[in-house]
Amino acid sequence: MAVNLWQPEDGGLQQILQLLRESQSPDNATQRAVQQKLEELNKYPDFNNYLIFVLTKLTSEDEPTRSLSGLILKNNIRAHYEKFPPEVTDFIKQECLGSIGDPSPLIRATIGILVTTIVAKGSLENWPGLLPSLCQNLDSEDYNVCEGAFGALQKICEDSAEVLDTEALNRPLNILIPKFLQFFKHNSAKIRSHAIACVNQFIISRSQALMMHIDSFLENLFFLSTDEDSEVRKNVCRALVMLVEVRMDRLIPHINNLVEYMLMRTQDPDQTVALEACEFWLSLAEQPICKEVLTAHTDRLIPVLIHGMKYSEIDIILLKGDVEDDETIPDKESDIKPRFHRSRTHSIGKSGEEEGDDEDDGSMDDDALSDWNLRKCSAAALDVLANVFHDEILPVVLPILKELLFHQEWEIKESGILVLGAIAEGCMNGMMVHLPELIPYLITCLSDKKALVRSITCWTLSRYAHWVVGQPHELYLKPLMTELLKRVLDANKRVQEAACSAFATLEEEACTELVPYLGFILETLVYAFGKYQHKNLLILYDAIGTLADSVGHHLNKPEYITLLMPPLIEKWNILKDTDKDLFPLLECLSSVATALQSGFLPYCEPVFRRCVSLIEQTLNQDFAHFSNPEQFEAPDKDFMIVALDLLSGLAEGVEHHIEALASSSNLLKLLYQCMQDPMAEVRQSSFALLGDLTKACFPHVKPFIGEFMPVLGANLNPEFISVCNNATWAIGELSIKAGEDMKPYVPVVLSRLIVIINRPNTPKTLLENTAITIGRLGLVCPQTVAPMLQQFIRQWCTSLRNIRDNEEKDSSFRGVCEMINLNPNGVVQDFIFFCDAIASWVSPKEDLKEMFFKILHGFKNQVGDENWTRFSDQFPPPLRERLAQHYGV
């Protein structure tokens, strides 16, 4: 690269320096003026030359001003790099490399940020001299040059790790890794720390270059294990934690020393080091070898983890632990985390969440301190280890618990309650004998004078909700519910939040057991509407929605409706169409509409119209953005998803009453657009709504079948499980209603459904829905589907043998019986599976039972008694007895 000798003009330089000084002003008007001026200056190509000049050459200015000049340049590179003339780009690169060893750490760090930004925007291939130059600088005698180069390399490794390991650049990592390893023993802690941090970027991706030097890497890490610098120790711990996941085989020979080391580091006086080390136990718990490795150490490890679960002084300050009553203080918008809406998924007989997709009830508390810290990590580690060792750790935990739970100091007592919650899942069996004593004690802790004790007690009690619900109500459920509802109305916002979440968990466990207490529960939750600040209102919606899901139609009583609906509708009327608080409110209303059934009719029309309007607005905005992205922002599609889901809840709740609304709106045309949206969650919710509308008002769906079916067929892709699941379910519902009109579309979907049902590792819900839909297609178009019987019958039988009797199972079995009558040879090879599937019915309807009877006896008569006996001798005894008892074979 030829040296660029560009020099600034003094007038221009003074103008930019004035601008940099003004940009540090706290005044908003000045800030806006500066932004406007920056926009104008960006029209001049050499503006960026001035910025790099101030950063690297203008030592007469103070460091913050010079650094700011570099950060403005970084923003320009990110926004306009492709428009920079080549001579400007070359000048910036030249200046960065020339000043990489600036005496000031702040300036060096700023240059490092510029270098990695240029690499990210313009690629390493377009700066071939960069890596050789930085590597050469690592060997410089001048500490500043070496540290500046390392700082830049660390940022490049963080931002461009994959590129460094590609053929296109001749795999620079093969040179870089051995180079970095040489610096693990450098006399400067900062350099040692950079070197480890650089190599750490390549562990998880299992880069070949690192794997070739893995033994040397480990040897160097062990050498640094007792380094006096906390940043170095932190990076060593981070490396070892990642290696557990990636190269456990290499750690096994050193495992006992490693466990000892991590035990020591988990107690490091520097909290950041202790936190990195504590992650080790979380990673190790996921390894099959965990139990074998840790059995000898649990008696020392468990107390260390428990010790880490106490609030530190800084935690208590950050959490305002001394503030008891804050319910009247409005929330700052920054306190409210973004919510993610979960779309509806149809599983057998109901619509709900995917299996295994529960909310993680392990989030202990203190989400205002949502940063991961030693307390949370220690609690998470104890939780996972309890799930590995189960009751074997109780002899270590229980004596410590006794001491903590009844301690005079609230911080220690609070950590004991957290321990009790953390072990709930893993040690439930062993804890049961202690719960009759512990649950009443915890219920008294709900009225402790410290808010942080009350809030953690809510969480811990929710972890034992399953046990509580299984005992006589008078003993624990009633007192727990009474106290928990008082905490829902606590004067402290953190306690309100914890109580609301705990109550939602209790609702899920208790379901209809709560029916006798509904009036009392609703009065409390409705009272909270008038009391809560913004953030907790969102959690309250969730508690009400969960209550509706749990008690279902029992909510449909005039006195409950008059309590519950006015505050919900009031919120609904206040919120604008662009307010994201609509998400949780609409989710809540969806559950309420489904539960209230006809009780929701008075509210049905305005809710329906607004949902349709939200969908239309989102689609229009999406089209505008697509046509003119510069002028129009992309919409937040969650508005559309939540509206689709609420319409599903409405259709499920008010059933045929939705017909008049559907006929006077353009909903089905909008739905056709939503079904083709590129975003999977939109399609998922669209297909759920299509299925629900088919059940509720088929005449309005019927004219569109020809357009809908090809779209449904195209979405039978098991890579998108939830989309595929809902599309499959909707096809099944359409079949039942459309009857033989489905015939032209069977070829579009059947072959795909057969692929899905035979695919290994298909999730249970999707298998069941696929089997139901194949059976339903066979019911309405037996002539078309029966010839394929042999390709799916075995999988069909095994998918449906475990689901309980219901309408969907009934229609699918009728379809298969029809097909067997048309193509008996299709089932011969797998007849034992069909016998087993028949036996899974507890009480089939009489005419279905008759169908089973005919098929079984027809088969028996065809093969003869002797062959039938030989065949039925292969049956497991329970199956043989069941068929003999119910069908006389």
Side-chain angles (χ1 to χ4, degrees):
M1 194 192 303
V3 176
N4 185 331
L5 298 172
W6 179 90
Q7 286 295 320
E9 290 174 11
D10 195 50
L13 190 59
Q14 291 313 317
Q15 191 184 349
I16 282 168
L17 286 172
Q18 179 59 28
L19 196 62
L20 289 169
R21 288 184 198 110
E22 283 172 3
S23 73
Q24 294 172 58
S25 153
D27 177 56
N28 284 341
T30 313
Q31 285 287 348
R32 275 196 297 277
V34 168
Q35 278 312 112
Q36 208 171 343
K37 195 87 175 100
L38 286 174
E39 293 295 321
E40 284 166 29
L41 287 169
N42 263 318
K43 292 174 187 151
Y44 300 99
D46 64 351
F47 170 48
N48 295 300
N49 287 10
Y50 281 93
L51 291 173
I52 190 76
F53 182 86
V54 172
L55 174 68
T56 59
K57 293 281 192 290
L58 209 59
T59 48
S60 56
E61 288 297 313
D62 62 14
E63 287 175 13
T65 302
R66 289 171 59 199
S67 173
L68 181 63
S69 180
L71 295 175
I72 291 171
L73 175 56
K74 176 202 76 171
N75 290 338
N76 285 351
I77 291 170
R78 285 171 69 170
H80 311 295
Y81 186 71
E82 45 286 338
K83 296 179 191 154
F84 284 14
E87 62 275 12
V88 171
T89 306
D90 289 348
F91 183 65
I92 294 170
K93 289 177 176 177
Q94 163 194 309
E95 289 302 299
C96 282
L97 288 179
S99 302
I100 201 93
D102 192 281
S104 151
L106 177 64
I107 302 301
R108 289 200 300 273
T110 310
I111 290 171
I113 290 170
L114 280 181
V115 168
T116 190
T117 310
I118 293 170
V119 168
K121 290 297 288 184
S123 95
L124 266 171
E125 289 165 59
N126 296 328
W127 195 351
L130 174 64
L131 291 177
S133 171
L134 291 177
C135 278
Q136 200 180 337
N137 286 338
L138 292 183
D139 296 323
S140 167
E141 293 294 308
D142 181 340
Y143 166 81
N144 292 336
V145 172
C146 175
E147 197 280 325
F150 242 133
L153 276 165
Q154 184 180 332
K155 292 183 180 77
I156 293 169
C157 290
E158 285 167 7
D159 296 341
S160 308
E162 286 162 26
V163 187
L164 293 171
D165 203 11
T166 52
E167 285 299 345
L169 296 163
N170 290 329
R171 300 198 181 276
L173 261 202
N174 293 342
I175 295 161
L176 289 173
I177 295 280
K179 187 86 181 164
F180 294 152
L181 290 172
Q182 290 170 15
F183 288 86
F184 275 43
K185 295 179 179 173
H186 195 276
N187 58 8
S188 151
K190 188 93 167 90
I191 303 283
R192 293 197 298 275
S193 183
H194 276 315
I196 311 170
C198 283
V199 179
N200 282 0
Q201 297 304 320
F202 304 98
I203 298 176
I204 292 295
S205 62
R206 299 175 165 81
S207 297
Q208 197 51 45
L210 175 55
M211 293 306 140
M212 281 159 55
H213 296 91
I214 192 80
D215 293 323
S216 159
F217 178 41
L218 276 171
E219 196 183 311
N220 278 298
L221 283 175
F222 292 145
F223 175 80
L224 292 175
S225 57
T226 52
D227 201 282
E228 76 281 357
D229 183 81
S230 62
E231 201 58 32
V232 172
R233 292 198 305 275
K234 186 164 83 180
N235 279 326
V236 168
C237 289
R238 188 172 291 168
L240 291 168
V241 169
M242 288 189 281
L243 285 165
V244 167
E245 198 177 314
V246 174
R247 288 308 301 261
M248 192 66 192
D249 58 320
R250 279 292 195 269
L251 296 179
I252 296 283
H254 315 281
I255 197 72
N256 276 324
N257 290 340
L258 191 53
V259 168
E260 290 292 341
Y261 174 66
M262 285 300 190
L263 258 170
M264 187 165 71
R265 288 284 77 89
T266 306
Q267 304 170 77
D268 198 284
D270 184 310
Q271 288 262 316
T272 61
V273 178
L275 175 57
E276 287 296 340
C278 194
E279 297 276 358
F280 176 77
W281 314 112
L282 282 176
S283 281
L284 189 58
E286 287 174 16
Q287 300 297 319
I289 201 166
C290 172
K291 195 164 186 180
E292 187 186 325
V293 166
L294 285 184
T295 297
H297 303 278
T298 47
D299 55 337
R300 289 162 58 226
L301 169 59
I302 301 292
V304 168
L305 294 175
I306 290 175
H307 182 73
M309 287 162 73
K310 194 161 97 56
Y311 275 126
S312 66
E313 285 175 30
I314 185 80
D315 290 342
I316 294 170
I317 293 165
L318 287 171
L319 285 168
K320 305 189 175 70
D322 52 345
V323 176
E324 293 303 322
D325 298 357
D326 61 356
E327 64 176 339
T328 55
I329 302 166
D331 295 325
K332 294 201 288 284
E333 286 309 301
S334 58
D335 292 340
I336 297 164
K337 285 194 282 191
R339 292 182 89 262
F340 299 99
H341 170 68
R342 245 186 291 150
S343 310
R344 284 169 86 95
T345 303
H346 270 276
S347 50
I348 298 299
K350 68 174 183 22
S351 146
E353 316 298 5
E354 275 285 17
E355 306 159 54
D357 191 25
D358 316 346
E359 278 284 281
D360 171 26
D361 61 351
S363 52
M364 282 86 68
D365 52 356
D366 45 292
D367 68 9
L369 189 71
S370 56
D371 304 330
W372 192 232
N373 56 18
L374 184 60
R375 165 190 167 86
K376 289 186 175 182
C377 191
S378 303
L382 182 59
D383 184 352
V384 293
L385 290 174
N387 277 296
V388 170
F389 287 92
H390 300 294
D391 299 345
E392 291 169 37
I393 59 168
L394 287 179
V396 184
V397 176
L398 289 173
I400 306 176
L401 253 183
K402 280 205 174 87
E403 228 169 88
L404 303 179
L405 281 174
F406 306 103
H407 204 281
Q408 290 309 299
E409 286 176 41
W410 75 265
E411 298 94 332
I412 295 176
K413 173 178 169 178
E414 192 277 346
S415 73
I417 298 171
L418 173 57
V419 170
L420 193 52
I423 62 170
E425 197 185 321
C427 303
M428 183 57 88
N429 283 338
M431 288 306 295
M432 279 186 190
V433 296
H434 304 287
L435 293 179
E437 186 186 344
L438 283 172
I439 297 295
Y441 174 67
L442 286 172
I443 292 172
T444 64
C445 294
L446 283 173
S447 38
D448 193 277
K449 60 179 193 298
K450 290 303 290 186
L452 288 172
V453 173
R454 298 197 298 278
S455 64
I456 197 62
T457 305
C458 291
W459 176 74
T460 292
L461 278 162
S462 76
R463 302 269 286 175
Y464 291 97
H466 182 73
W467 182 86
V468 167
V469 170
Q471 308 303 310
H473 290 195
E474 299 298 323
L475 285 179
Y476 312 107
L477 180 63
K478 278 178 81 171
L480 170 59
M481 198 166 51
T482 310
E483 289 305 311
L484 206 47
L485 287 169
K486 285 183 192 163
R487 296 291 67 83
V488 166
L489 303 177
D490 200 277
N492 179 276
K493 290 193 288 191
R494 181 180 313 286
V495 180
Q496 292 171 0
E497 179 185 357
C500 241
S501 299
F503 197 74
T505 305
L506 187 64
E507 289 168 345
E508 285 174 343
E509 288 292 347
C511 291
T512 49
E513 307 268 342
L514 294 180
V515 171
Y517 317 109
L518 264 176
F520 178 47
I521 294 170
L522 283 169
E523 279 170 18
T524 307
L525 296 180
V526 168
Y527 188 76
F529 260 113
K531 187 180 173 77
Y532 278 13
Q533 298 296 338
H534 186 179
K535 180 183 171 190
N536 285 351
L537 260 183
L538 307 184
I539 296 158
L540 181 62
Y541 294 141
D542 184 51
I544 290 172
T546 307
L547 180 68
D549 293 338
S550 301
V551 300
H553 67 90
H554 296 285
L555 205 54
N556 187 6
K557 284 192 176 166
E559 62 271 30
Y560 298 157
I561 295 173
T562 47
L563 262 177
L564 180 58
M565 288 308 295
L568 286 174
I569 294 298
E570 186 192 348
K571 296 289 177 197
W572 161 272
N573 289 332
I574 292 169
L575 292 176
K576 293 188 176 65
D577 280 355
T578 51
D579 193 325
K580 290 187 179 176
D581 283 4
L582 273 177
F583 301 163
L585 175 58
L586 290 171
E587 280 175 45
C588 170
L589 278 171
S590 176
S591 296
V592 170
T594 308
L596 289 185
Q597 300 172 339
S598 59
F600 199 79
L601 280 174
Y603 312 96
C604 194
E605 185 171 350
V607 170
F608 180 91
R609 299 234 179 279
R610 186 168 188 183
C611 286
V612 172
S613 162
L614 282 168
I615 294 166
E616 193 159 21
Q617 287 173 50
T618 311
L619 287 170
N620 290 342
Q621 196 183 335
D622 193 39
F623 181 72
H625 170 70
F626 181 75
S627 312
N628 191 346
E630 294 291 313
Q631 195 179 341
F632 297 101
E633 268 187 32
D636 183 340
K637 288 189 179 173
D638 268 359
F639 284 105
M640 180 154 76
I641 296 167
V642 183
L644 289 163
D645 287 349
L646 176 45
L647 288 172
S648 272
L650 215 51
E652 211 180 318
V654 303
E655 296 175 333
H656 64 91
H657 295 289
I658 206 166
E659 197 161 336
L661 295 169
S663 64
S664 61
S665 76
N666 59 344
L667 174 60
L668 284 147
K669 288 196 172 70
L670 299 174
L671 186 56
Y672 180 57
Q673 284 177 261
C674 295
M675 286 165 59
Q676 298 171 80
D677 196 274
M679 188 174 176
E681 289 81 359
V682 177
R683 301 199 303 280
Q684 178 184 333
S685 292
S686 306
F687 298 141
L689 176 55
L690 175 59
D692 283 318
L693 288 174
T694 301
K695 288 170 80 169
C697 58
F698 179 66
H700 298 292
V701 176
K702 192 177 178 182
F704 297 90
I705 292 184
E707 292 169 70
F708 288 167
M709 281 305 295
V711 180
L712 287 164
N715 278 278
L716 296 178
N717 172 3
E719 296 302 312
F720 297 96
I721 290 172
S722 299
V723 177
C724 183
N725 187 50
N726 286 5
T728 304
W729 177 78
I731 293 167
E733 292 299 333
L734 281 167
S735 308
I736 291 292
K737 295 287 189 183
E740 54 196 25
D741 291 351
M742 286 299 279
K743 195 169 181 181
Y745 312 110
V746 172
V748 178
V749 296
L750 184 61
S751 54
R752 290 189 174 210
L753 293 169
I754 291 174
V755 168
I756 293 167
I757 204 168
N758 286 300
R759 196 167 170 261
N761 305 324
T762 301
K764 182 169 161 285
T765 305
L766 179 55
L767 269 182
E768 290 169 356
N769 270 325
T770 306
I772 296 274
T773 294
I774 291 174
R776 288 177 151 191
L777 285 169
L779 177 65
V780 296
C781 304
Q783 303 282 357
T784 321
V785 184
M788 320 290 277
L789 192 56
Q790 201 174 341
Q791 295 181 32
F792 60 76
I793 187 66
R794 177 186 286 204
Q795 265 22 69
W796 184 91
C797 292
T798 51
S799 303
L800 294 188
R801 70 180 299 278
N802 292 322
I803 70 165
R804 60 179 184 273
D805 299 5
N806 64 24
E807 284 300 321
E808 295 182 332
K809 182 173 176 175
D810 178 279
S811 57
S812 190
F813 268 81
R814 287 172 192 275
V816 164
C817 291
E818 292 278 354
M819 291 188 277
I820 290 174
N821 290 334
L822 288 173
N823 177 15
N825 289 337
V827 76
V828 169
Q829 284 182 319
D830 299 306
F831 199 68
I832 187 168
F833 292 94
F834 186 63
C835 294
D836 180 52
I838 287 176
S840 73
W841 278 89
V842 179
S843 48
K845 289 179 183 165
E846 275 311 311
D847 60 333
L848 180 61
K849 193 170 180 177
E850 183 64 23
M851 287 174 159
F852 294 160
F853 185 89
K854 281 182 179 160
I855 289 172
L856 290 170
H857 281 274
F859 190 83
K860 182 179 175 181
N861 294 339
Q862 199 167 0
V863 298
D865 284 354
E866 195 179 325
N867 283 337
W868 175 263
T869 307
R870 203 172 310 140
F871 172 66
S872 61
D873 281 347
Q874 303 167 36
F875 293 179
L879 173 58
R880 220 175 20 245
E881 286 160 25
R882 210 172 161 81
L883 290 178
Q885 182 190 346
H886 291 284
Y887 300 98
V889 290

